Amino acid sequence: MWQWFHKLGSPKWFFGIAGRLMPWLGWSALIVLTVGVVWGLLFAPADYQQGDSYRIIFIHVPSAYLGQSLYVAMAVAGVVGLVWRMKMADTFIASATAVGAAMTFLALLTGAVWGKPTWGTWWVWDARLTSMLLLLFLYLGVMALRGAMEDPDVRARASAILVIVGVVNIPIIKYSVEWWNTLHQPATIKVTEAPSMPASMWVPLLICLLGFHLLVAWLILWRMRNDILLRERRARWVRDWVLAQ
Amino acid sequence: MAVEERHTMHPVRKRRLAIILALFAGFAVAVSLAMVALQENMNLFYSPAEIETGKAPVQQRIRAGGLVAEGSLERDPDSLKVRFVITDNQGRVPVEYKGILPDLFREGQGVVALGELNQDGMLRADQVLAKHDEDYMPPEVKKALEKSGRLKEGGDYPNEGIDHGNGDSGT
């Protein structure tokens, strides 16, 4: 009786906390993103070599960063789900997959649009671009796998395994520009070194990165709440919550 | 998660975690081995040094990447034909190309040329792509750096044509 209650209690608690966090996240995402994008597109200086076309970096880098970090977060959730059999871990994977896929697609799209005027081509099969495309296929694979499975426990386990296995691609993406010769340039902003751009460029870039994080957190919490409602639709608290709306 | 589980891990869970980690480690090793074996194919282009030492196949479509050598660019006045030399300071490969060059193309710039290598070691390219490095700066900063002699005229900024090791720009 107590255990049954406990199992139900965790999604309920999360649902409540997420509901209280969401307005804060949503509004701060809107404000921070507006500041970052306006600063980056209108006030940051042009590049000596690429002129204004480098400005797509303010979308490209945050989306590429989140495409990868969301996958790592999903892999961590996959381990938690497999080891502790925690339902909320699967809720996270179910909710983050589409958001991560969208971020990865946005990174590939802005990269192509950036590549055309600077490199002279939309696409080239170098190690960075190819491994990033593989990341998109991994996201789509997780979505397809989940869609193909009826039983929720089997679905949770299978998608967790796929996510964990696919995480080997993340260091490949990160180090592709160092291990092999590629058309894509190495990273501009690194944790260990000073960024190779002036503060008038990296400050708005970091603001955009923060804004993207807030936006993604808001989107994922929204999707997680929906997923919880769907999973717990027979629970009494969901019925009470729906009736209260 | 139940409260009593916070302190010690249940043996069943410990075993599950060990199995997952072992499977993942095995998979990661397999992928690394495959990538080491495919090392050559993972590179986008051959460097001029590799082409000079005969590592690149002749009369096959290959990519050659390097910096456009200073003073090597010759434009045909009547057509879009250009000739230039790409170099990595170890080897030099002459390139012939007819077509529109990307905006960033200039002497000292990293480029990747796709084409066929003939018997004389010349690359007849049908596509030339420009690389750019990871350094961004406003034009005035670039000019000031050139004036103060921290960057030489004509692009001696760290250009990542071949080697990705030396990305210090002083910004």
Side-chain angles (χ1 to χ4, degrees), chain A residues 29-41 43 204 207-208:
Chain A
L30 187 70
I31 293 163
V32 173
L33 265 181
T34 309
V35 169
V37 169
V38 169
W39 188 346
L41 296 188
F43 297 104
I207 294 174
C208 286

Side-chain angles (χ1 to χ4, degrees), chain A residues 6 10 45-50 54 57 78-79 82-86 114 116-121 123-127 164-168 172 177-188 190 193-198 200-201, chain B residues 1-3 5 9 13-14 16-17 20 24 27-28 31 35 38-39 42-47 50 63 102-104 106 109 112 127-142 157 159-162 164 167 169 171:
Chain A
H6 216 101
S10 182
D47 179 52
Y48 75 104
Q49 204 175 35
Q50 300 179 39
Y54 94 98
I57 201 173
V79 172
L82 286 179
V83 174
W84 283 274
R85 299 278 189 265
M86 195 203 265
W114 193 2
K116 186 63 185 166
T118 50
W119 296 341
T121 183
W123 184 263
V124 66
W125 292 100
D126 82 351
I164 291 168
V165 163
V167 88
V168 288
I172 297 178
V177 289
E178 289 168 30
W179 289 343
W180 305 293
N181 56 44
T182 54
L183 193 62
H184 195 286
Q185 70 283 2
T188 295
K190 287 171 229 148
E193 288 168 43
S196 46
M197 54 170 31
S200 54
M201 292 175 177
Chain B
M1 225 186 307
V3 178
E5 285 158 9
M9 225 168 131
R13 287 173 189 157
K14 227 178 224 172
R16 279 194 213 131
L17 185 62
I20 293 165
F24 179 75
F27 184 73
V31 170
M35 284 200 315
L38 293 171
Q39 181 72 28
M42 302 288 283
N43 284 320
L44 183 70
F45 51 80
Y46 291 97
S47 69
E50 286 172 324
R63 287 195 190 89
D103 289 353
L104 290 187
R106 68 200 67 175
Q109 182 77 26
V112 176
Q127 189 188 35
V128 174
L129 305 176
K131 268 175 78 80
H132 64 82
D133 54 32
E134 72 276 32
D135 299 316
Y136 302 87
M137 56 181 120
E140 345 30 298
V141 175
K142 162 83 171 157
Y157 41 86
N159 210 322
E160 303 286 335
I162 293 300
H164 298 311
S169 69
T171 42

Side-chain angles (χ1 to χ4, degrees), chain B residues 29-96:
Chain B
V29 167
V31 170
S32 329
L33 287 176
M35 284 200 315
V36 170
L38 293 171
Q39 181 72 28
E40 291 289 300
N41 303 343
M42 302 288 283
N43 284 320
L44 183 70
F45 51 80
Y46 291 97
S47 69
E50 286 172 324
I51 292 171
E52 271 199 349
T53 51
K55 277 187 189 149
V58 174
Q59 286 174 345
Q60 260 184 49
R61 282 170 68 78
I62 59 151
R63 287 195 190 89
L67 306 179
V68 181
E70 297 292 337
S72 72
L73 181 63
E74 294 168 34
R75 288 178 195 270
D76 184 31
D78 305 322
S79 70
L80 289 172
K81 224 182 237 176
V82 288
R83 285 160 161 276
F84 54 89
V85 172
I86 53 178
T87 176
D88 58 353
N89 296 327
Q90 290 165 33
R92 291 170 71 86
V93 174
V95 180
E96 197 179 75

Side-chain angles (χ1 to χ4, degrees), chain A residues 29-237:
Chain A
L30 187 70
I31 293 163
V32 173
L33 265 181
T34 309
V35 169
V37 169
V38 169
W39 188 346
L41 296 188
L42 299 180
F43 297 104
D47 179 52
Y48 75 104
Q49 204 175 35
Q50 300 179 39
D52 284 324
S53 62
Y54 94 98
R55 290 181 197 276
I56 204 163
I57 201 173
F58 295 108
I59 306 294
H60 178 74
V61 165
S63 56
Y65 183 89
L66 275 158
Q68 295 168 74
S69 57
L70 276 180
Y71 198 92
V72 175
M74 279 166 55
V76 171
V79 172
V80 170
L82 286 179
V83 174
W84 283 274
R85 299 278 189 265
M86 195 203 265
K87 275 198 214 162
M88 287 307 297
D90 191 54
T91 292
F92 177 75
I93 291 178
S95 311
T97 312
V99 180
M103 286 295 133
T104 308
F105 179 75
L106 187 61
L108 288 167
L109 185 78
T110 51
V113 171
W114 193 2
K116 186 63 185 166
T118 50
W119 296 341
T121 183
W122 301 100
W123 184 263
V124 66
W125 292 100
D126 82 351
R128 169 57 72 83
L129 275 65
T130 308
S131 55
M132 202 62 188
L133 185 66
L134 189 63
L135 180 67
L136 179 64
F137 288 160
L138 276 167
Y139 276 121
L140 297 181
V142 173
M143 287 162 81
L145 184 71
R146 296 189 68 90
M149 289 186 162
E150 293 274 322
D151 183 76
D153 289 338
V154 178
R155 181 174 58 205
R157 224 168 299 169
S159 54
I161 290 170
L162 177 58
V163 169
I164 291 168
V165 163
V167 88
V168 288
N169 189 36
I170 297 296
I172 297 178
I173 296 175
K174 177 151 173 42
Y175 293 107
S176 55
V177 289
E178 289 168 30
W179 289 343
W180 305 293
N181 56 44
T182 54
L183 193 62
H184 195 286
Q185 70 283 2
T188 295
I189 294 185
K190 287 171 229 148
V191 181
T192 49
E193 288 168 43
S196 46
M197 54 170 31
S200 54
M201 292 175 177
W202 66 254
V203 171
L205 183 54
L206 279 194
I207 294 174
C208 286
L209 192 62
L210 176 68
F212 264 77
H213 274 86
L214 293 166
L215 174 70
V216 159
W218 178 70
L219 281 172
I220 290 177
L221 285 189
W222 188 6
R223 290 175 57 88
M224 284 180 83
R225 270 166 62 96
N226 287 346
D227 192 73
I228 290 170
L229 284 183
L230 187 67
R231 274 172 210 245
E232 310 287 328
R233 61 190 175 277
R234 284 181 234 292
R236 167 158 238 135
W237 70 268

